[in-house]
């Protein structure tokens, strides 16, 4: 079926909910018609009062294939994405093996995704201390940005870089106007000694706010010095907000994201010996997270991402509970919408503000704003239908990720994705996959 109509009394168009009919034809939104409108011989899908909106664009996902497909793979991750209402995701240059730090490894990763993309998928390239001369070719090959770490990434194959490495590649990033994505933690020895590695608070104190703020200062320096696009991934430290705010007043080239786990959980509630909650930077205390929410409600964050970064249960040290030995990463791709919607409702986040943070805004960051992220004529027909009044509990059976281990298990949430369309094809119907391999591999046209 590549010619049909979708109607809802609540289509999210031009930042408001309106009664409209979308005519979907040849993978695109062919026409947007006000009100309920039928056309002879064209199927009419009437979704009543359910929300119809652009598919979610998750600009920060770790899929780990090839090389670590026992952690997560394209098949399972993109199925989880489709069920969760994510129609486009951008995959990070780690934790697959090889890591995406040259064109050869980029091609290997693209090949590994063949016949496994159930939603659209693009990629970032990575900067490590030894690959400055590979960056231009990676950009030309179609990555959406270049990601680097300012502290140990957790993977020896992806060592962290310093200011000099960033200065070396900044002119290339400037030439192609491509964003530099930075994991902002700058480690030092100014941390307490660990006494009980199963105590969450000790883990929290081992990655203090000043690691993030020192790294943010470095990121802002690079941004200002070279006038390049710099994106701060997964902000957790609220002490970073003021400096980001100030710099953002001077430039539109600085962007910042945060993730559901920093907005949904608080360190006070994390039990000891539960590294399922371990991520870096860490989930901080309630007052910190309240500040993140205030910044979000004041339009500070450019967009929100899952930072889905799963690992097998043994790697997460789920049995022995050692926060320091466990892999740092939260598995949650499938649940970005209900988690943020649930907490957002409590915090007074209206849907008109919430939806663009998952659709239009990441599309703009990725340079896809003329193609994705809006229900607009000529745009790709990546569309989701969801019920914002359905409350349910996240169960193990519903999880499509490779591993069921996620801190969101058993959480009572609000907001359920019912139908998902990818490139004009319905891939999810009543929360079940009905069509596979409808996703496209996305390469950015960097000229
Ligand atoms: Zn990440």
């Amino acid at each position: 079926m590549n010619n049909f109509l979708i109607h809802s009394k609540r289509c999210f168009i031009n930042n408001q909910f309106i009664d409209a009919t979308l005519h979907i034809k040849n993978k695109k939104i062919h026409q947007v018609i006000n009100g309920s409108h039928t056309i002879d011989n064209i199927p009419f899908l009437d979704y009543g009062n359910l929300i119809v909106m652009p598919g979610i664009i998750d600009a920060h996902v770790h899929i780990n294939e090839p090389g670590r497909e026992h952690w997560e793979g394209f098949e399972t991750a993109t199925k989880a994405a489709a069920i969760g209402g994510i129609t486009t995701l951008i995959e990070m240059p780690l934790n697959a093996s090889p890591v995406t730090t040259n064109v050869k490894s980029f091609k290997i990763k693209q090949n590994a995704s063949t016949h496994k993309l159930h939603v659209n998928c693009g990629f970032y390239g990575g900067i490590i201390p030894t690959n400055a001369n590979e960056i231009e070719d990676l950009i030309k090959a179609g990555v959406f940005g270049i990601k680097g770490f300012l502290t140990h990434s957790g993977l020896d194959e992806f060592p962290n870089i310093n200011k000099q490495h960033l200065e070396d590649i900044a002119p290339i990033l400037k030439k192609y106007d491509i964003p530099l994505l930075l994991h902002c933690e700058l480690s030092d020895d100014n941390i307490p000694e660990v006494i009980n590695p199963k105590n969450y608070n000790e883990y929290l104190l081992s990655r203090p706010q000043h690691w993030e703020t020192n790294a943010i200062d470095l990121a802002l320096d690079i941004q200002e010095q070279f006038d390049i696009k710099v994106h701060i991934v997964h902000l957790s430290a609220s002490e970073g907000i003021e400096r980001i705010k100030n710099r953002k007043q001077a430039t539109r080239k600085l962007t910042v994201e945060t993730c559901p786990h920093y907005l949904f959980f608080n360190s006070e509630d994390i039990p000891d010996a539960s590294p399922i909650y371990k991520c870096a930077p860490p989930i901080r205390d309630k007052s910190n997270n309240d500040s993140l929410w205030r910044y979000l409600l004041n339009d500070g964050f450019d967009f929100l991402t899952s930072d889905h970064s799963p690992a097998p249960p043994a790697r997460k040290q789920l049995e022995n509970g050692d926060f320091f030995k466990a892999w740092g990463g939260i598995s949650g791709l499938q649940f970005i919408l209900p988690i943020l919607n649930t907490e957002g409702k409590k915090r007074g986040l209206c849907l008109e503000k919430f939806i663009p943070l998952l659709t239009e805004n990441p599309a703009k960051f990725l340079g896809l704003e003329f193609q994705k992220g809006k229900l607009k004529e000529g745009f790709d027909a990546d569309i989701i239908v969801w019920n914002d009044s359905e409350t349910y509990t996240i169960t193990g059976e519903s999880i499509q990720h490779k591993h069921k281990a996620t801190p969101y298990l058993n959480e009572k949430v609000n907001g359920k994705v019912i139908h998902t369309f990818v490139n004009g094809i319905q891939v999810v119907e009543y929360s079940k996959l009905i069509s596979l391999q409808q996703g496209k591999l996305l390469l950015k046209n960097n000229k």
Side-chain angles (χ1 to χ4, degrees), residues 60-62 92 94 147 149 183 233-234 257 280 307-309:
H60 188 157
V61 180
H62 299 265
M92 282 290 168
L94 69 167
K147 160 89 177 277
F149 275 70
H183 177 119
V233 296
H234 52 51
E257 69 180 41
D307 190 10
H308 178 64
S309 182

Side-chain angles (χ1 to χ4, degrees), residues 264-265 335 337-343 346 389-395 407-415:
F264 191 77
F265 299 116
F335 305 111
L337 179 74
I339 291 296
L340 289 169
N341 185 59
T342 303
E343 190 64 23
K346 287 184 203 158
S389 55
E390 186 170 343
T391 298
Y392 57 100
T393 300
I394 293 175
T395 59
Y408 301 123
L409 185 68
N410 298 325
E411 289 293 344
K412 194 175 172 195
V413 292
N414 176 269

Side-chain angles (χ1 to χ4, degrees), residues 59-340:
H60 188 157
V61 180
H62 299 265
I63 292 185
N64 311 337
E65 188 174 1
R68 284 189 190 81
E69 52 268 49
H70 53 298
W71 292 28
E72 182 63 287
F74 287 104
E75 181 78 23
T76 43
T78 61
K79 277 183 182 171
I83 299 262
I86 296 123
T87 54
T88 298
L89 59 85
I90 310 294
E91 212 269 334
M92 282 290 168
L94 69 167
N95 310 313
S97 184
V99 292
T100 315
T101 48
N102 56 47
V103 172
K104 193 176 161 209
S105 59
F106 184 27
K107 289 268 155 59
I108 292 171
K109 187 177 271 190
Q110 290 176 45
N111 290 339
S113 76
T114 309
H115 304 311
K116 295 173 191 163
L117 295 184
H118 308 304
V119 301
N120 303 308
C121 180
F123 303 90
Y124 296 115
I127 172 73
I128 55 173
T130 50
N131 76 332
N133 55 357
E134 309 275 2
I135 295 299
E136 186 159 15
D137 287 344
L138 263 174
I139 293 172
K140 284 187 189 161
V143 296
F144 281 83
I146 297 293
K147 160 89 177 277
F149 275 70
L150 292 168
T151 185
H152 195 283
S153 72
L155 277 192
D156 292 336
E157 305 150 78
F158 200 95
N160 53 288
I161 33 107
N162 60 29
K163 196 172 183 199
Q164 182 61 54
H165 301 123
L166 294 176
E167 287 171 352
D168 292 344
I169 63 159
I172 303 162
L173 301 174
K174 171 89 178 162
K175 178 177 168 192
Y176 292 93
D177 196 27
I178 196 161
L180 171 67
L181 295 91
L182 286 176
H183 177 119
C184 283
E185 283 184 297
L186 201 56
S187 33
D188 60 35
D189 297 332
N190 187 11
I191 47 173
E193 189 193 343
V194 177
I195 295 161
N196 176 8
K198 297 185 185 184
N199 178 273
Y200 184 76
N201 206 47
E202 292 203 29
Y203 172 64
L204 177 56
L205 294 171
S206 77
R207 302 188 86 110
Q209 295 239 4
H210 75 261
W211 280 21
E212 275 193 74
T213 51
N214 288 346
I216 290 166
D217 286 341
L218 192 157
L220 300 188
D221 278 354
I222 289 286
Q223 193 287 317
E224 191 167 5
Q225 190 184 340
F226 293 93
D227 188 34
I228 55 170
K229 286 181 178 163
V230 169
H231 179 68
I232 296 167
V233 296
H234 52 51
L235 181 77
S236 163
S238 61
E239 287 173 17
I241 291 173
E242 215 44 50
R243 12 168 78 78
I244 292 170
K245 237 182 183 171
N246 288 339
R247 185 70 204 136
K248 265 171 161 271
Q249 281 173 351
T251 180
R252 300 180 74 167
K253 292 188 179 179
L254 177 69
T255 50
V256 57
E257 69 180 41
T258 192
C259 311
H261 36 278
Y262 302 118
L263 298 168
F264 191 77
F265 299 116
N266 298 313
S267 60
E268 292 92 330
D269 304 325
I270 297 179
D272 282 353
S274 57
I276 192 97
Y277 295 93
K278 179 181 175 181
C279 56
I283 295 166
R284 303 187 190 278
D285 59 88
K286 184 171 183 304
S287 75
N288 178 81
N289 302 342
D290 287 347
S291 300
L292 295 180
W293 267 106
R294 267 195 300 280
Y295 190 50
L296 193 158
L297 292 167
N298 285 326
D299 305 320
F301 288 105
D302 292 273
F303 53 92
L304 302 168
T305 67
S306 70
D307 190 10
H308 178 64
S309 182
R315 272 265 167 181
K316 285 294 285 176
Q317 305 283 330
L318 296 185
E319 284 191 6
N320 82 23
D322 186 324
F323 282 105
F324 289 82
K325 286 194 185 130
W327 176 258
I330 300 276
S331 176
L333 173 65
Q334 193 179 328
F335 305 111
I336 185 168
L337 179 74
I339 291 296
L340 289 169

Side-chain angles (χ1 to χ4, degrees), residues 3 10 33 37 76 112 117 170 182 221 348 369 388:
N3 187 11
R10 288 200 296 159
I33 308 156
H37 186 88
T76 43
L117 295 184
L182 286 176
D221 278 354
E369 71 270 33
D388 62 327

